[in-house]
Amino acid sequence: MKKKLIEWLAQSNRWKHLVGGFGIGICAFDWFSATYAGVLTAGALEYKDKAYGGNWDWIDFGLTVAGTCVGQLVRNLVC
């Protein structure tokens, strides 16, 4: 199970989307700005992929936004 999760996260650099979103969430001051920045960043990353001949990946988009929400949750629990 753990190996499958690691392999799944390694596809399309999904772990980078999750970690990057987490960083956005940690640095944002409130839920609105965290979500706003996360969605805009995820959209920009996926647009870049599509513009250079790739496909839009909703999983990567969702992982970026999910990482942002988790980062904001951690910030709220710590502060």
Side-chain angles (χ1 to χ4, degrees):
M1 177 83 169
K2 184 179 175 182
K3 185 177 180 181
K4 286 184 181 181
L5 178 64
I6 292 170
E7 289 174 0
W8 182 77
L9 284 172
Q11 291 177 356
S12 180
N13 294 320
R14 290 180 176 153
W15 68 272
K16 289 181 182 178
H17 288 269
L18 196 58
V19 171
F22 185 83
I24 293 169
I26 286 287
C27 294
F29 292 112
D30 61 358
W31 281 99
F32 178 77
S33 61
T35 306
Y36 189 72
V39 168
L40 287 177
T41 303
L45 288 170
E46 292 310 311
Y47 175 75
K48 181 233 359 140
D49 288 346
K50 184 130 178 92
Y52 285 98
N55 294 324
W56 186 280
D57 190 354
W58 284 106
I59 295 173
D60 288 350
F61 184 92
L63 284 173
T64 305
V65 175
T68 302
C69 293
V70 170
Q72 183 58 215
L73 179 65
V74 168
R75 178 185 170 98
N76 285 336
L77 291 175
V78 171
C79 294

